[in-house]
Amino acid sequence: MELFDVYSLYEIEPVKGEGSYVFTADGVRYLDLYGGHAVISIGHAHPRYVEAVSKQVAALGFYSNSVENSLQLRLADRLGKMSGYEDYRLFLCNSGAEANENAMKLASFATGRKRILAFSNAFHGRTSGAVAATDNPKIVAPFNETDNVVFVPFNNAEAAGKLLESGEFAAIIVEGIQGVAGIRVPSEEFMQSLRQKATETGTLLILDEIQSGYGRTGRFFAHQHYGIKPDIITCAKGIANGFPMGAVLIAPSIEARKGMLGTTFGGNHLACAAALAVLDVIESENLIENAASVGRYLIENLKEIPGLKDVRGKGLMIGFDVDGFGSAMRRRLLYEKHIFTGGAGESTVRLLPALGLSKDQADVFLNAIKQLVDQNA
């Protein structure tokens, strides 16, 4: 049997990780500024994480949600306190797509409405409902096509407001910062207008914080930069530092009923142990503050490099464009400079490193990219 060939692969296989580095079998070290697509929040093989996961799997790795699990309660309490959402409730699942599926389903249950408002260039996942709310025709199969999702231009509050006035929409779903679109930051006015219009029309506001949450932008959630409070928040990616996990934070105004949501693997003992270790490390090592500081340093210095366009982002969620050779630059960074980065289309480079990235490591990247830009000039 062969693998189903759906991924474009770099010809490099990391077999070991340590902090912000990964290593191949022959010992070559790579600086990881992509974090496995924003997943590695506290660094590869963090000792406290390894210890917590190892102890838990040796005790009890899994049992179903048909029994009490005190680790879930501890996680809900800790996450509520660290995020500022102590009065919200927590539903645990397995991925970002699943978190968004459950969020939209909850909104439909709560309002009795069918329609969802989403935005141009949005990415919310690849499962049926999540992909229907994703603005990328290449990954939407005929089966996923629906009239229940309507797209309007990102950052266009007026267009969104006009549609919401119909009173037909169960929810607005919007990313704290659009990640797959190339790190597109919403304006404060746009986000505040969405919150106001949602309240006025009885529509629930869902904040997809799957890439932008868990300290990545220098606040626990990206939407906290805009001074708003959503009805539902979705998380995944860095929540368990590589262990598959998703979460939905749900406002107290939304009623829970037995059986309305469910999952086999979501919130299992091993996942919760991993997630608790992540929160421990984020707090004890001040990683949110570090993401804000090092991210600001990177953005300021990237803006000084001729040839880089539209440097943007918050914290350690950064994008910039390179006319005509962003894709080539990513390959050269990897193969010549041994630095992993991400992309979005041909021109964009994305940075999504572990939250503990140091200024010295940032300087390694800045020096490498200056050299490549100079060589291309």
Side-chain angles (χ1 to χ4, degrees):
M1 182 182 290
E2 296 181 352
L3 294 174
F4 197 50
D5 189 12
V6 293
Y7 298 115
S8 298
L9 301 178
Y10 290 119
E11 296 171 354
I12 292 171
E13 183 182 3
V15 297
K16 177 186 173 184
E18 183 179 331
S20 291
Y21 296 100
V22 293
F23 302 80
T24 57
D26 55 359
V28 179
R29 187 179 76 168
Y30 292 80
L31 179 60
D32 183 9
L33 299 187
Y34 193 48
H37 199 74
V39 166
I40 301 302
S41 52
I42 61 170
H44 295 281
H46 191 288
R48 288 179 66 176
Y49 177 84
V50 171
E51 180 184 11
V53 171
S54 299
K55 284 177 66 176
Q56 187 59 50
V57 77
L60 180 65
F62 175 82
Y63 205 79
S64 78
N65 284 303
S66 62
V67 299
E68 292 185 359
N69 181 347
S70 61
L71 290 170
Q72 293 182 354
L73 300 176
R74 284 175 53 199
L75 178 58
D77 180 68
R78 194 76 186 282
L79 177 54
K81 288 175 179 174
M82 286 183 63
S83 67
Y85 283 93
E86 290 184 76
D87 59 336
Y88 278 43
R89 280 83 44 79
L90 180 65
F91 177 76
L92 295 168
C93 52
N94 308 286
S95 69
E98 190 178 338
N100 283 333
E101 291 273 346
N102 282 291
M104 290 186 283
K105 185 187 295 185
L106 268 176
S108 186
F109 275 135
T111 63
R113 303 172 185 175
K114 295 181 180 180
R115 308 192 86 184
I116 301 291
L117 182 68
F119 296 94
S120 58
N121 300 313
F123 188 95
H124 296 295
R126 292 177 180 269
T127 53
S128 188
V131 79
T134 292
D135 185 26
N136 184 345
K138 293 180 180 178
I139 65 171
V140 180
F143 169 73
N144 303 124
E145 293 171 359
T146 175
D147 293 331
N148 288 333
V149 179
V150 180
F151 293 95
V152 296
F154 185 62
N155 259 334
N156 190 326
E158 184 179 358
K162 285 181 179 178
L163 278 172
L164 291 171
E165 286 172 3
S166 68
E168 298 177 353
F169 288 85
I172 307 162
I173 186 166
V174 62
E175 292 159 87
I177 292 176
Q178 287 192 332
V180 176
I183 316 299
R184 303 297 169 185
V185 182
S187 71
E188 185 173 321
E189 294 77 16
F190 172 69
M191 296 297 267
Q192 290 180 350
S193 175
L194 292 183
R195 176 63 278 175
Q196 182 180 344
K197 272 294 182 182
T199 301
E200 290 173 357
T201 59
T203 308
L204 298 187
L205 179 60
I206 301 170
L207 250 295
D208 177 340
E209 294 276 7
I210 287 160
Q211 274 196 44
S212 57
Y214 261 65
R216 178 151 298 282
T217 69
R219 300 289 297 271
F220 198 93
F221 292 124
H223 70 261
Q224 291 169 326
H225 290 284
Y226 317 123
I228 63 169
K229 196 168 186 178
D231 302 293
I232 301 174
I233 306 164
T234 56
C235 310
K237 299 297 185 191
I239 190 172
N241 204 53
F243 195 95
M245 195 177 200
V248 186
L249 282 66
I250 305 155
S253 58
I254 299 173
E255 180 186 359
R257 301 195 314 273
K258 300 296 185 187
M260 70 189 301
L261 303 179
T263 170
T264 297
F265 296 104
N268 66 71
H269 296 73
L270 192 52
C272 287
L276 282 164
V278 166
L279 291 176
D280 286 344
V281 173
I282 286 175
E283 185 173 48
S284 65
E285 297 186 5
N286 300 312
L287 294 188
I288 298 177
E289 294 81 358
N290 186 74
S293 173
V294 177
R296 186 163 49 247
Y297 177 78
L298 270 168
I299 289 170
E300 288 170 355
N301 282 274
L302 285 167
K303 286 181 175 178
E304 298 298 317
I305 300 175
L308 305 188
K309 292 190 172 184
D310 191 20
V311 178
R312 56 196 179 267
K314 289 183 183 295
L316 290 175
M317 189 172 186
I318 299 169
F320 58 88
D321 296 324
V322 189
D323 276 348
F325 98 117
S327 178
M329 176 177 278
R330 296 194 303 269
R331 292 187 66 84
R332 293 189 65 188
L333 281 166
L334 182 59
Y335 289 108
E336 296 176 27
K337 305 296 183 181
H338 294 171
I339 300 173
F340 273 98
T341 58
E346 286 300 311
S347 299
T348 299
V349 176
R350 282 195 291 162
L351 308 180
L352 299 161
L355 306 184
L357 187 78
S358 70
K359 282 191 177 180
D360 287 344
Q361 291 166 335
D363 281 333
V364 170
F365 170 71
L366 290 167
N367 290 332
I369 206 160
K370 285 175 187 174
Q371 292 172 16
L372 293 181
V373 168
D374 288 344
Q375 291 170 16
N376 193 64

